[in-house]
Amino acid sequence: MQKTYKILATLLVLVLMIGMLPMSAVAAGEEPIITVSNMEAMAGEEVAVTVSLNNNPGLTVLRLFVEYDDEMLDLIGITDSKLLEGYQGNPEEEEFAANPAILYWANDLVTEDNSANGVLVTLTFKVRREAKAGEKATVSVNVQDAYNWEMNDRVFATKDGTVTITAQDVSTFEVTFRLIGDAKHGKD
């Protein structure tokens, strides 16, 4: 009888261990990541690029450097989604002199982590008229600081995005012409 209980107990432990394997494998495969979207736009157009947070392990402080190809793109706007509290800076600024742009969230008043996922911020770029169809402008993020409320470091992978130039916006071209009469038809 005791031998039967030992075998059943061993089998039960084995079943529990096997049952836990997929859960730990899934958890290990879901690394925290900050992703920049891929977009398409014509030369002369504005384009909205999102920066998103996925598999958030819990944050209260996050500082990102956003670098972009300033030979093809001009950063003209930043819209904070309010996913994380405490955005530092003015998202209503009309001019941005710095490349990289610095985005910073910090909230000293909380006593727990914010583990929300989704769009952190939307960056609005104007594609320069000189950009040629088929060119790709890279937009990347670099995590400078990431802490939870206990001030423990958080590590995030990052994935760059691109703005692919599809064509030139023909509505911005100015076309002029001159009509000249000939001797057979007269001056008019």
Side-chain angles (χ1 to χ4, degrees), residues 74-85:
D74 290 318
L75 180 59
I76 60 171
I78 297 175
T79 306
D80 179 29
S81 70
K82 309 289 187 211
L83 184 72
L84 298 177
E85 293 181 44

Side-chain angles (χ1 to χ4, degrees), residues 5-124:
Y5 285 126
K6 284 183 181 179
I7 291 173
L8 287 175
T10 304
L11 286 173
L12 181 60
V13 167
L14 242 136
V15 166
L16 288 173
M17 288 175 63
I18 290 172
M20 291 178 68
L21 279 176
M23 289 173 52
S24 62
V26 167
E30 294 181 4
E31 69 179 337
I33 187 165
I34 298 174
T35 306
V36 180
S37 64
N38 294 312
M39 302 301 293
E40 294 182 350
M42 293 188 291
E45 271 189 332
E46 291 183 8
V47 63
V49 175
T50 58
V51 178
S52 300
L53 177 63
N54 295 299
N55 304 320
N56 181 358
L59 290 170
T60 57
V61 173
L62 179 63
R63 185 167 58 122
L64 300 177
F65 284 7
V66 179
E67 295 186 67
Y68 55 94
D69 185 340
D70 56 10
E71 291 186 12
M72 284 192 273
L73 303 174
D74 290 318
L75 180 59
I76 60 171
I78 297 175
T79 306
D80 179 29
S81 70
K82 309 289 187 211
L83 184 72
L84 298 177
E85 293 181 44
Y87 181 79
Q88 307 294 311
N90 181 3
E92 304 301 320
E93 289 180 45
E94 292 185 19
E95 291 184 28
F96 304 91
N99 181 6
I102 299 171
L103 307 177
Y104 184 65
W105 292 264
N107 189 345
D108 297 338
L109 304 176
V110 296
T111 57
E112 61 184 30
D113 291 329
N114 180 342
S115 57
N117 293 299
V119 174
L120 277 169
V121 68
T122 301
L123 307 168
T124 304

Side-chain angles (χ1 to χ4, degrees), residues 126-177:
K126 175 104 181 201
V127 180
R128 292 195 173 186
R129 297 202 188 289
E130 305 84 49
K132 305 285 186 238
E135 290 183 320
K136 293 180 186 271
T138 301
V139 180
S140 63
V141 292
N142 184 348
V143 179
Q144 296 295 308
D145 297 301
Y147 302 107
N148 67 1
W149 75 277
E150 295 173 318
M151 296 307 286
N152 296 320
D153 284 332
R154 296 295 193 202
V155 177
F156 287 85
T158 59
K159 183 177 180 194
D160 295 348
T162 58
V163 175
T164 302
I165 314 307
T166 56
Q168 202 159 20
D169 185 357
V170 294
S171 67
T172 61
F173 289 112
E174 185 175 313
V175 177
T176 60
F177 68 93

